[in-house]
Amino acid sequence: MKIALALFQLDRRGGKERDCLAVARSLAERGHDVTIVTTSRPASETRPYRIATVPRRGLTNHALARNFARKAMNYCSEVGSDACLAFERIPGAEFYYAADNPAASKVRGVRSLLPRGRMRLALERGVFERSPCPFFFFLTEQQRCQFGALYRFDASRSVVLPLILHDDRYDMVAAGSDPARIRQQLKLPATGPVAISIAVSSAFDNKGVDRSLTALTHLPDLYLVVVGSNDRRLKRRVKSLGLERRVRIVPHASNIIELIAAADVLVHPARSEAAGQVIGEALLAATPAIISSVCGYAPCVERSGAGVVLEEPFRQDAFEQAISGTLARLPVARAAATRESQRLQHERGKWLAVIGDEIERRIGSGSR
């Protein structure tokens, strides 16, 4: 089958972009003719699929989103694609990968009247209120319920994907790690308590990095490694709090599993998180996690006992107590995380198989 995947900016390489590339490769390996439709491509590399770029049109983000949705569907029509799997809000696509939480839950009041808010809502409604609706791939049951509370779509035309972990993460775990070496490279204490936070550069507050920095001001023995952000605001905040000695900022890292394994605990008190792949990565690395309950993968931590899920509304003192408590019972928390890591070894590739199976079943049978 000829399958198109639509993603606005492929070279950004955040979680959504990584997911799109993995899905494209998996579908191509199943024998399909796969093309990713995007406005920007990553560096040249050997791949079993094609990348088609369409022009960026628009002076604002909402204009860019609207025009990309149109151009992606025009491309699919022109080349005769059997199906389009959209990673953005694209009305008309046969499949929708819900990489983000509902815009309708955030764009309210005055924001819904502004051009950007109106366009985000219009595109989302074009996806969820169309008849027949596309088939939806949701990241978590919590996310499916959030969309279900806002839109009356046919829930039978949806599936919640198994926990998403990429093959390279499994390969890193299989290769083993040397926490002592990593700590030495980062000039961290060999045995002192170390927490790690993962945040995309432009969203470090959304991921709760500011909350983790505040915790450090009350936990004088704790060190923090912040991975994935090199934002000047972050550096200024670290300096203003007098935390330069105990904070390590790693802008980019390919050895994310090694970094997580070298820490005692993952801290991810996010304000918004559709799923939170870093949570699964921490559990795969047998590292306990302290996360907010808004994270889509919070049930994984709760079920396994490999950490603490913070209740909403967020309380800074409860977060700091959770860190202290987890460090105090670290052997128990690590044992639970190790058991979950062993379980996750058997989940490799399942999320990709679900996507491939559903697309083949629905396009092959004509039940789009």
Side-chain angles (χ1 to χ4, degrees):
M1 288 188 290
K2 186 179 289 187
I3 303 172
L5 278 60
L7 177 70
F8 178 69
Q9 191 171 333
L10 190 59
D11 62 353
R12 187 169 173 266
R13 289 300 181 101
K16 178 166 61 175
E17 291 74 27
R18 283 173 50 80
D19 292 355
C20 179
L21 291 168
V23 172
R25 181 173 292 277
S26 175
L27 290 173
E29 289 174 349
R30 292 172 76 123
H32 300 295
D33 182 358
V34 179
T35 301
I36 300 178
V37 185
T38 185
T39 62
S40 61
R41 64 173 66 216
S44 178
E45 59 184 45
T46 303
R47 55 177 75 93
Y49 49 85
R50 290 189 298 275
I51 296 178
T53 55
V54 297
R56 295 167 67 106
R57 293 280 189 269
L59 299 177
T60 61
N61 287 338
H62 58 274
L64 288 167
R66 176 195 62 206
N67 292 332
F68 176 69
R70 291 173 179 170
K71 288 185 179 298
M73 292 312 300
N74 286 342
Y75 175 89
C76 292
S77 177
E78 290 168 3
V79 303
S81 297
D82 294 301
C84 175
L85 168 57
F87 286 74
E88 313 287 359
R89 298 176 180 91
I90 299 179
E94 288 80 8
F95 298 89
Y96 177 63
Y97 184 97
D100 304 301
N101 281 332
S105 64
K106 296 179 286 186
V107 182
R108 297 176 177 175
V110 175
R111 295 178 65 187
S112 67
L113 303 176
L114 298 175
R116 180 183 180 186
R118 288 204 311 270
M119 182 53 63
R120 290 180 67 190
L121 291 175
L123 290 174
E124 187 167 275
R125 288 166 181 159
V127 172
F128 281 88
E129 294 181 352
R130 185 168 63 90
S131 181
C133 68
F135 189 87
F136 301 108
F137 295 108
F138 291 110
L139 305 183
T140 67
E141 185 61 45
Q142 174 180 302
Q143 186 191 45
R144 178 160 63 177
C145 290
Q146 287 174 340
F147 276 103
L150 295 164
Y151 301 103
R152 292 186 176 181
F153 62 88
D154 183 357
S156 69
R157 294 180 62 84
S158 69
V159 66
V160 175
L161 295 171
L163 192 145
I164 297 170
L165 286 168
H166 291 270
D167 283 351
D168 63 333
R169 298 335 195 203
Y170 284 98
D171 293 340
M172 290 178 193
V173 170
S177 62
D178 186 351
R181 177 179 56 83
I182 296 295
R183 288 197 176 207
Q184 186 177 33
Q185 288 177 349
L186 294 175
K187 295 181 172 57
L188 293 166
T191 58
V194 175
I196 189 166
S197 173
I198 314 294
V200 175
S201 181
S202 60
F204 64 88
D205 272 354
N206 193 46
K207 304 300 183 184
V209 178
D210 59 320
R211 293 170 168 176
S212 298
L213 292 174
T214 299
L216 253 68
T217 65
H218 301 134
L219 300 169
D221 295 328
L222 184 63
Y223 286 72
L224 178 68
V225 179
V226 182
V227 181
S229 179
N230 197 28
D231 196 295
R232 292 179 181 176
R233 294 170 299 163
L234 173 60
K235 294 179 177 179
R236 286 198 298 267
R237 189 169 301 178
V238 170
K239 185 175 181 179
S240 69
L241 294 172
L243 296 172
E244 300 102 311
R245 186 181 66 84
R246 292 190 288 130
V247 174
R248 306 289 183 268
I249 297 175
V250 182
H252 307 287
S254 58
N255 61 334
I256 189 66
I257 292 293
E258 281 192 297
L259 290 170
I260 294 174
D264 293 301
V265 63
L266 168 77
V267 287
H268 195 65
R271 290 176 171 83
S272 176
E273 186 70 272
Q277 284 186 34
V278 67
I279 297 168
E281 290 168 350
L283 298 178
L284 187 64
T287 299
I290 300 172
I291 66 174
S292 51
S293 60
V294 301
C295 298
Y297 285 158
C300 299
V301 174
E302 205 160 35
R303 185 199 67 250
S304 65
V308 177
V309 176
L310 303 166
E311 296 180 356
E312 291 293 319
F314 176 83
R315 286 176 35 233
Q316 185 68 33
D317 62 332
F319 175 42
E320 292 165 11
Q321 289 168 13
I323 295 174
S324 298
T326 301
L327 292 173
R329 61 177 190 88
L330 194 56
V332 175
R334 274 212 179 271
T338 299
R339 289 192 295 272
E340 183 64 7
S341 174
Q342 293 167 348
R343 189 191 72 80
L344 289 173
Q345 300 294 330
H346 303 289
E347 300 294 305
R348 182 170 183 167
K350 285 188 177 181
W351 69 282
L352 292 168
V354 169
I355 293 175
D357 290 347
E358 287 292 349
I359 290 176
E360 290 172 356
R361 182 168 69 87
R362 293 181 176 277
I363 299 302
S365 65
S367 59
R368 303 187 187 186

